[in-house]
Amino acid sequence: MKKLFFLVLLVPFLAVAQVTESQILTMSELTIKQGHNEQFKAGVKMYKECYEKNNGTDSWNLWSRLQGEGTVYVLTGMVKNWTEFDKDDEAGKACRDIVINMIMPHIEKKCVSFGLYYAGNEH
């Protein structure tokens, strides 16, 4: 009887998992060193210009946190599956030095996390 009960509960989730398309949301929370906000923003602007100049195709969003302690940004992006993390990004490689020299020195700490989005499940 217990197995039947769990099967009845599980069947709707199996149907949803097969019908909906999922994507992976990447989120990097970046805490900026005190007094380094303008340098960080200038570095991000330089990277964006370099990436576009090199015909980069990936997209991302940079959010600024409005409350809380310190200056914190959240960098978000979407990928369709885990294998997309391994794809070559020539534009990103061309602009890597900007990240290393103009962005990373201004970051105090970062926290990376992932979320799963199921299309078609909007309320």
Side-chain angles (χ1 to χ4, degrees):
M1 189 65 171
K2 269 188 183 178
K3 288 181 184 178
L4 180 61
F5 177 71
F6 286 117
L7 185 60
V8 169
L9 288 177
L10 187 60
V11 168
F13 291 109
L14 292 174
V16 168
Q18 293 178 14
V19 172
T20 61
E21 181 181 324
S22 64
Q23 290 185 330
I24 300 168
L25 171 66
T26 62
M27 298 169 284
S28 298
E29 185 176 290
L30 310 171
T31 302
I32 307 306
K33 293 177 181 176
Q34 185 173 358
H36 289 242
N37 190 41
E38 293 306 314
Q39 296 96 322
F40 172 79
K41 290 191 307 186
V44 170
K45 183 178 178 182
M46 288 173 63
Y47 180 82
K48 182 177 185 255
E49 290 169 356
C50 177
Y51 194 77
E52 289 173 350
K53 178 181 163 192
N54 284 280
N55 301 314
T57 59
D58 287 343
S59 62
W60 63 89
N61 294 295
L62 186 63
W63 300 81
S64 176
R65 188 178 72 185
L66 297 176
Q67 86 291 349
E69 192 174 316
T71 303
V72 177
Y73 291 92
V74 178
L75 178 67
T76 64
M78 299 286 278
V79 294
K80 290 185 182 185
N81 53 51
W82 292 107
T83 58
E84 282 195 27
F85 286 103
D86 295 330
K87 78 175 186 175
D88 281 338
D89 181 11
E90 294 303 320
K93 287 178 186 176
C95 304
R96 185 178 322 197
D97 286 346
I98 294 172
V99 173
I100 293 168
N101 297 317
M102 305 302 292
I103 296 175
M104 294 305 292
H106 307 294
I107 297 175
E108 183 178 317
K109 69 177 182 174
K110 68 177 180 169
C111 176
V112 178
S113 57
F114 303 95
L116 197 55
Y117 170 75
Y118 293 100
N121 287 339
E122 295 86 4
H123 298 298

